[in-house]
Amino acid sequence: MKALLTVHFLKLRFYPLFWLVLALYAAFVPLIFRIFFSAELTVNEQQLDLGSFFALDGSGLWHYLMFAGSYGVHLFVLLMVSFTNRDYCFGLRRQYLLEGQNRAGLVLSDIALAALFSLSAVLLLSGATFGLAWNRGILISAADMSAVFPFLLTYILYFFVFVMMALLVNSFLKNTAGSFLVVLFWSLFIEAVVRWIDPSGLSDFLPVNSLNGLIPSPLRVIAGGAESVSLDAAKVMLSLMWGAVFAAAYWWRTSREDF
């Protein structure tokens, strides 16, 4: 696996989409934050700034940016499936096996790459947070960092499970546009429709619904009148379960695939 990861890193250095996704995400997070923060709500015929409902202190800024940045997960989904399909297209996976690599190593290197992309998203989000804090004169204290740290871990989990779901879908389709659209429509529309028509509540256990519980949403704070956000332990466990399911299914699919 170590040799495969080294090869992946060498390929990423010269892969334009990798740098484009990082640049787009770095710009996307503060842009969505600005749009969201400046939006207005009409309450009792009065116009109120949406940002006024959520404390814009050190930890509050982190929560805003996590909420805004979570929508950028689809950029990393596109990057992962595109990068993987280049290997399929040029027959590199077959070549890896001929050179003595095993299928388990292929799977583990893909899982490690998904984790790397997830960590990259958190690092870019952190850069955007400190940049905006400096621009707005907001002090991020050690207490803020301590309060936010569990959310940073679940943010990595959020991205990782999304990317693993995309890898599993792509292992069947082997088409970048098709795999990207399946994940996009499932996350934005299909699950929403299922939850709308499901009277039993079983749709609460669907993967994207579980993942959405990991993100500190200012909208939930506004709707519930809460003063702070908190992690949902049940959603964390469900997301871990879905991550394990997607990884195991991808392992099974790769172990039986004819390269």
Side-chain angles (χ1 to χ4, degrees), residues 40-49 53:
E40 292 186 343
L41 290 176
T42 301
V43 180
N44 295 328
E45 299 183 353
Q46 293 183 346
Q47 294 292 326
L48 299 175
D49 290 334
F53 286 91

Side-chain angles (χ1 to χ4, degrees), residues 7 18 30 33 35 47-49 66 82-83 87 91 99 104-105 112 136 151 176 189 234 250 252 255:
V7 172
F18 172 68
F33 163 79
I35 293 173
Q47 294 292 326
L48 299 175
D49 290 334
M66 288 180 189
S82 175
F83 184 76
D87 280 3
E99 290 176 353
R136 290 177 172 266
F151 289 100
T176 299
F189 302 109
Y250 181 63
W252 172 84
S255 67

